[in-house]
Amino acid sequence: MSQSITQGGAAEQEVRQEDQQRINTFNKLNSRLHELQAGVKAKKSELEDLEDAGNELMLLDDDQVRFVVGESFYHAGTEETEEQLQEVTSGVEQEISNMNKELLEIQESMASLKKELYGRFGNTINLEE
């Protein structure tokens, strides 16, 4: 099955099945790229909040801290809370790292697809975000 595309009086260009699959793949990658970018932004905000919490914890004079788990609080020692905060922080940092790796892979794949599709269709196709 093939279709033709025409833009602004340019010559018709046949869209083959494999071309359509590449376009669809590009669109899926583009959607995932935007999801990951939003996720990284949210995780960075969470990381800043955790760092702020760590700084506040250092300034506390109390030996006991109320720690939130889900929707409830429990009392914990300052050292225990620092350890838990460090574990959560390193987990978030790892998630950000993994997301950034996936972002790079997606960007490379998208660049390759852009090159192929622009090579085939020229200016008759728009693959910008």
Side-chain angles (χ1 to χ4, degrees):
M1 179 179 175
S2 64
Q3 300 172 341
S4 297
I5 52 177
T6 306
Q7 182 176 358
E12 283 193 17
Q13 185 71 35
E14 184 178 321
V15 180
R16 300 176 303 209
Q17 180 68 30
E18 58 267 15
D19 296 330
Q20 188 62 50
Q21 288 174 343
R22 286 185 184 119
I23 292 168
N24 292 343
T25 301
F26 182 87
N27 287 332
K28 287 177 188 176
L29 289 173
N30 192 35
S31 293
R32 181 66 180 145
L33 178 82
H34 289 291
E35 288 173 8
L36 283 172
Q37 288 172 337
V40 167
K41 184 177 178 181
K43 289 294 179 184
K44 284 184 179 179
S45 175
E46 182 180 345
L47 188 60
E48 287 178 15
D49 292 344
L50 289 169
E51 288 172 357
D52 289 345
N55 292 339
E56 290 294 323
L57 191 59
M58 286 182 214
L59 298 174
L60 280 179
D61 293 333
D62 298 336
D63 290 338
Q64 290 288 319
V65 177
R66 290 190 315 175
F67 196 76
V68 177
V69 176
E71 295 181 6
S72 60
F73 291 91
Y74 77 93
H75 292 278
T78 306
E79 289 181 23
E80 178 185 350
T81 305
E82 284 177 357
E83 290 174 10
Q84 289 178 344
L85 193 59
Q86 183 59 39
E87 287 176 22
V88 171
T89 301
S90 59
V92 170
E93 288 172 342
Q94 184 63 41
E95 287 178 35
I96 291 172
S97 175
N98 292 341
M99 292 171 115
N100 282 329
K101 286 178 188 176
E102 188 176 349
L103 274 170
L104 286 175
E105 291 171 4
I106 287 173
Q107 289 169 339
E108 289 172 2
S109 297
M110 287 175 68
S112 174
L113 286 169
K114 269 186 179 182
K115 183 178 177 182
E116 291 174 18
L117 291 168
Y118 277 130
R120 171 119 168 87
F121 296 109
N123 292 332
T124 60
I125 189 168
N126 183 9
L127 298 174
E128 299 306 316
E129 300 173 28

